[in-house]
Amino acid sequence: MIRIVLTCITALTMAAAPAVAQAAKPVAEPQAAAPAPGSDEWLRLRGETYHSAPESAQDPAEISATAKLNESIAARNAAAEQAEAADQARFDSETQRWEADSARSSTARVQWEADVAAANAAQAQWERDRAAWEAEVAACRASRRPCITPAAPIAPRY
């Protein structure tokens, strides 16, 4: 009985949930268009204001010092760009050198693995040939008759 009551309460709650959610939604107010980035209104909203003084109110010595400072900064920026370009070129050449070395090492490793596999195959073949020869010699000796057997297989050279 309790299970039926709980099931009914759950069903009613789930059925009423969309209506409750709709009623609880706040009505969205239309927003004003955002000001364009860099505009005076945009800067004002961020707490930044800038008003340049008229030309007549500016000090010529300060203007000259500012121009020299700007030239100095521009020269340092250009030097930094050149240094960064040189560093990037050096990095790129070192990267290419490393990739070439890595490719050579990989090729050498693959060749070494192939050589090891060939040596192991030759060793296994020699061991089979030697075992067959020994079996043939043993069979000949066991027969107590004169036998001419081929020479023993020669061990492979590595």
Side-chain angles (χ1 to χ4, degrees), residues 20-30:
V20 172
Q22 251 182 350
K25 267 189 194 172
V27 176
E29 296 180 20

Side-chain angles (χ1 to χ4, degrees), residues 24 30 33 49 59 67 69 81 89 126:
T49 57
D59 181 17
L69 181 61
E81 285 179 20
W126 177 81

Side-chain angles (χ1 to χ4, degrees), residues 6-103:
L6 290 175
T7 305
C8 290
I9 290 173
T10 303
L12 288 174
T13 304
M14 290 176 69
V20 172
Q22 251 182 350
K25 267 189 194 172
V27 176
E29 296 180 20
Q31 294 182 347
S39 68
D40 289 337
E41 179 64 18
W42 184 79
L43 291 171
R44 188 188 62 72
L45 289 173
R46 283 159 181 71
E48 300 177 23
T49 57
Y50 175 74
H51 301 288
S52 61
E55 291 290 325
S56 60
Q58 294 183 358
D59 181 17
E62 187 178 347
I63 291 174
S64 174
T66 301
K68 288 179 184 176
L69 181 61
N70 287 343
E71 289 173 9
S72 168
I73 291 170
R76 283 190 311 222
N77 287 346
E81 285 179 20
Q82 288 176 346
E84 186 176 348
D87 289 345
Q88 185 65 43
R90 189 170 35 256
F91 173 80
D92 291 342
S93 69
E94 287 296 317
T95 299
Q96 287 176 346
R97 185 189 62 77
W98 176 82
E99 288 173 348
D101 287 349
S102 179

Side-chain angles (χ1 to χ4, degrees), residues 5 10 25 27 31 48 61 66 89 104-105 115 122 130 137 149:
V5 171
T10 303
K25 267 189 194 172
V27 176
Q31 294 182 347
E48 300 177 23
T66 301
R104 279 192 297 275
S105 296
D115 292 346
R130 179 75 184 199
V137 168
T149 58

